[in-house]
Amino acid sequence: MILELNRESLVPLYAQIVLKIREMITSGSLKIGDRLPANRDLARRLGVNRTTVTTAYADLVADGLITSHVGRGTFVSGVPPRDRTPRPEQRHVPAVQWDTLLVPETRDRWLGSMWRFQPNKESISLGHALPQAELFPLDEFRRSIDRVLRREGRSLLQLGASNGYEPLLDYIASQMSLVGVQVKPGEILITNGCQQSLDLIRRVLVGPGEEVVVENPTYPGALSLFCGRDAKYISVPIDAQGLDLDALEDIMVQRRPKLIYTVPSFHNPTGLTMNLASRRRLAEMVARLRVPMIEDDIYGELRFEGASLPPIKAMDSSGLVLYINSFSKMGFPGLRLGWIVAPGVVIERLNDAKVRCDLHTSTLAQAAVYEFSRQGLFARHLRRVRKAYAARRDAMLQALDEHLSDIATWTRPEGGMSIWVRLPEQVNAAELLPQAAEAGVLFTPGDRFYSSLPKQNMMRLCFTMAAPDRIGEGIKRLAELIRQRVEAAFSRGAASRAEAGRALV
Ligand SMILES: Cc1ncc(COP(=O)(O)O)c(C=O)c1O
């Protein structure tokens, strides 16, 4: 029996043995009654562990293809059932017209499209608001997982509580109290991140035809939920202080929206933060006008400098502020772990919606994060990333000052992950992107963050994923391309150099 294994293959060795022996039986090169080599002999011949062959034989026994008799050996005893399905090339199957089956798309695809443009290893990535994976403390986190598995592995791998892992709920409650939010564990729901929190809140609060207020621009994941198919929404501009509160108050009075969504700290994409007075005013407006509001505080912990500000939830006398946060930006987005703070009666409804959706969030992930936090490792990780990101933000601001200050303007955030850049009017950021990608730099064109009237000359630059020197190089390359476009616009005679220069900034 000649059997060759491919050690480079992703198929485990035991499975390769199973497949090869199956093939031999199917093709007739092994017949019923033929004897197979003893485990030990086959293992030696193939240079694999004996348990690899034992596992493969056990699979074949379970499929009824071979039988083992103690003392006599292992024999072929059955033939795999023939696959009677004709091969694809023998069948005539008309192509499925998926377009007619899928519901019409509008903005629902926004978030998906963001992920199609993946950076390759060489490109300078200024496009994604994500933590830098090289800063993940892998060994420490692995030890946290080991510890919880050893301590309570059986219950962690069993189906768990839908509202969340109790020690993590208690821990979050204690952390929230540090920022002035007094909350009981029954007022918290653990979710698979802020994106799921937004989806759950929309499901339980926004009925057909009801309007949601969104900032313009805002996080595309929120746009895909609140401004998608069948949704009704109202865009409110943001100014240097964040949400334009005068405009919002008018809308709240006149339109009675069902829900407001805001990111008051280190807003995505602008990096802007609402000041204390505005936070107070917004909390007061929400309470007076009785409109529920989502406060998305996902970047709140990523402050590098300046006085920290309490979340609006800390000023919420009415309970109408639904606070959401997650471990995605301060920690590890791949864990998919976030939480909602809301009155108990709302949490109950959110919990029902969560159960319908996915029963609960991974208890193992929750326990590992709890353990990681309990040991003080999360706090240490946060200190480390804040320092690293502050250096990167400085590098980006310095490079922008050096290369673009005469033709563009931008925000100067005290934390978060992104800077919002206004380019000369003639430069269309979406058209610039493929050219920039070719030059090895990625960014996100600003138009995809708008709920209405998208501006074409805006771009979001994220400073977390590239090292400071790479950021400098990336901005330099971008600046060259931007200048080329401006020059091209001038030479087309669109405007005189002097006139345009004034209009640009
Ligand atoms: C403002 C904002 N909210 C929510 C999310 C999604 O977060 P999560 O990974 O917790 O679902 C993001 C991600 O970029 C974001 O920028």
Side-chain angles (χ1 to χ4, degrees):
M1 193 170 99
I2 302 163
L3 222 161
E4 270 177 24
L5 300 181
N6 176 2
R7 278 158 209 284
E8 307 293 308
S9 166
L10 292 177
V11 180
L13 294 174
Y14 90 88
Q16 292 189 40
I17 299 174
V18 172
L19 288 171
K20 295 264 153 97
I21 293 179
R22 264 184 97 95
E23 262 168 41
M24 287 178 191
I25 299 174
T26 308
S27 67
S29 55
L30 276 176
K31 299 200 170 43
I32 292 190
D34 282 354
R35 185 189 190 121
L36 295 185
N39 301 10
R40 194 184 313 113
D41 294 342
L42 186 57
R44 190 165 6 91
R45 260 196 269 159
L46 296 175
V48 297
N49 203 303
R50 203 172 143 193
T51 50
T52 306
V53 178
T54 313
T55 311
Y57 278 10
D59 248 38
L60 291 161
V61 168
D63 285 350
L65 301 184
I66 64 171
T67 335
S68 285
H69 302 279
V70 181
R72 279 178 42 216
T74 303
F75 299 90
V76 177
S77 58
V79 179
R82 262 181 191 277
D83 180 3
R84 296 193 187 285
T85 322
R87 289 170 191 281
E89 63 272 19
Q90 294 172 312
R91 283 179 266 153
H92 174 70
V93 185
V96 176
Q97 299 297 316
W98 278 106
D99 281 356
T100 62
L101 300 174
L102 296 165
V103 292
E105 61 162 270
T106 50
R107 280 218 164 99
D108 306 30
R109 282 178 67 182
W110 276 27
L111 203 52
S113 65
M114 299 270 291
W115 291 103
R116 257 171 253 142
F117 214 59
Q118 289 294 344
N120 69 35
K121 277 227 163 65
E122 280 76 46
S123 45
I124 302 174
S125 173
L126 311 178
H128 291 307
L130 287 177
Q132 201 209 8
E134 278 69 31
L135 296 174
F136 292 161
L138 283 189
D139 289 338
E140 290 170 350
F141 196 68
R142 192 180 45 239
R143 280 197 286 278
S144 296
I145 295 182
D146 280 352
R147 262 195 300 270
V148 294
L149 271 179
R150 236 178 290 126
R151 201 167 61 212
E152 48 191 316
R154 290 188 193 284
S155 64
L156 294 180
L157 297 181
Q158 188 52 278
L159 201 66
S162 55
N163 61 326
Y165 174 71
E166 218 174 294
L168 183 66
L169 290 168
D170 290 340
Y171 175 77
I172 289 175
S174 69
Q175 291 299 299
M176 296 291 312
S177 73
L178 296 180
V179 291
V181 179
Q182 305 308 328
V183 57
K184 298 188 211 64
E187 293 167 338
I188 303 173
L189 177 70
I190 302 287
T191 66
N192 288 349
C194 284
Q195 185 63 29
Q196 185 179 49
S197 302
L198 293 173
D199 190 25
L200 296 175
I201 293 172
R202 181 189 59 122
R203 283 168 199 241
V204 306
L205 257 169
V206 187
E210 290 179 327
E211 292 181 313
V212 178
V213 172
V214 291
E215 293 162 326
N216 195 29
T218 191
Y219 161 56
L223 291 178
S224 69
L225 282 171
F226 298 130
C227 311
R229 191 169 42 89
D230 300 336
K232 293 210 154 184
Y233 61 95
I234 309 166
S235 305
V236 178
I238 62 174
D239 55 26
Q241 287 308 331
L243 201 51
D244 177 340
L245 295 186
D246 291 334
L248 178 64
E249 187 159 4
D250 283 349
I251 287 164
M252 287 167 81
V253 171
Q254 285 161 27
R255 306 265 292 259
R256 310 293 313 165
K258 190 60 189 293
L259 183 66
I260 299 164
Y261 170 66
T262 181
V263 184
S265 297
F266 314 120
H267 174 262
N268 181 10
T270 62
L272 293 169
T273 292
M274 188 182 278
N275 67 21
L276 188 58
S278 298
R279 283 170 195 245
R280 288 210 177 103
R281 180 173 166 204
L282 183 51
E284 182 280 319
M285 277 161 51
V286 162
R288 177 167 41 89
L289 298 167
R290 306 260 136 199
V291 181
M293 181 181 87
I294 301 174
E295 176 182 21
D296 182 343
D297 196 25
I298 194 165
Y299 298 100
E301 284 290 331
L302 288 179
R303 174 175 283 281
F304 320 140
E305 65 194 26
S308 62
L309 291 165
I312 300 168
K313 181 74 187 156
M315 306 156 194
D316 173 31
S317 56
S318 59
L320 283 159
V321 178
L322 313 175
Y323 175 94
I324 67 171
N325 205 335
S326 88
F327 293 102
S328 290
K329 305 297 174 185
M330 48 180 157
F332 324 116
L335 274 186
R336 311 305 310 133
L337 202 52
W339 69 96
I340 306 176
V341 176
V345 32
V346 183
I347 290 291
E348 263 176 47
R349 288 290 303 278
L350 289 166
N351 193 11
D352 291 347
K354 164 97 178 146
V355 170
R356 278 198 294 280
C357 181
D358 59 5
L359 300 184
H360 68 77
T361 291
S362 156
T363 319
L364 176 57
Q366 295 182 63
V369 163
Y370 166 67
E371 180 67 19
F372 190 70
S373 310
R374 190 176 71 94
Q375 304 259 331
L377 300 173
F378 218 118
R380 191 158 86 190
H381 174 64
L382 253 176
R383 284 196 294 276
R384 208 178 289 154
V385 293
R386 279 193 200 113
K387 209 165 141 201
Y389 296 162
R392 288 158 194 231
R393 181 221 36 197
D394 291 346
M396 185 171 276
L397 288 174
Q398 196 186 330
L400 286 167
D401 284 341
E402 195 175 321
H403 300 290
L404 278 169
S405 59
D406 55 333
I407 54 167
T409 54
W410 51 86
T411 53
R412 291 184 167 270
E414 293 181 329
M417 294 191 159
S418 46
I419 290 176
W420 187 233
V421 182
R422 177 189 301 276
L423 298 171
E425 294 284 344
Q426 303 93 320
V427 181
N428 179 315
E431 285 173 14
L432 179 71
L433 180 59
Q435 215 187 345
E438 209 152 284
V441 195
L442 294 174
F443 66 88
T444 308
D447 57 355
R448 54 197 68 175
F449 297 93
Y450 285 91
S451 48
S452 71
L453 303 172
K455 292 202 172 82
Q456 304 303 332
N457 60 324
M458 305 301 289
M459 63 157 65
R460 186 190 70 174
L461 295 176
C462 295
F463 47 77
T464 47
M465 286 186 82
D469 58 329
R470 301 275 290 159
I471 290 177
E473 175 60 28
I475 300 292
K476 189 168 155 227
R477 288 187 208 169
L478 274 181
E480 272 164 32
L481 295 175
I482 292 165
R483 284 183 190 285
Q484 279 169 19
R485 287 192 165 241
V486 175
E487 292 293 326
F490 283 161
S491 58
R492 279 199 304 270
S496 81
R497 186 174 295 263
E499 248 176 324
R502 270 199 304 280
L504 300 178
V505 190

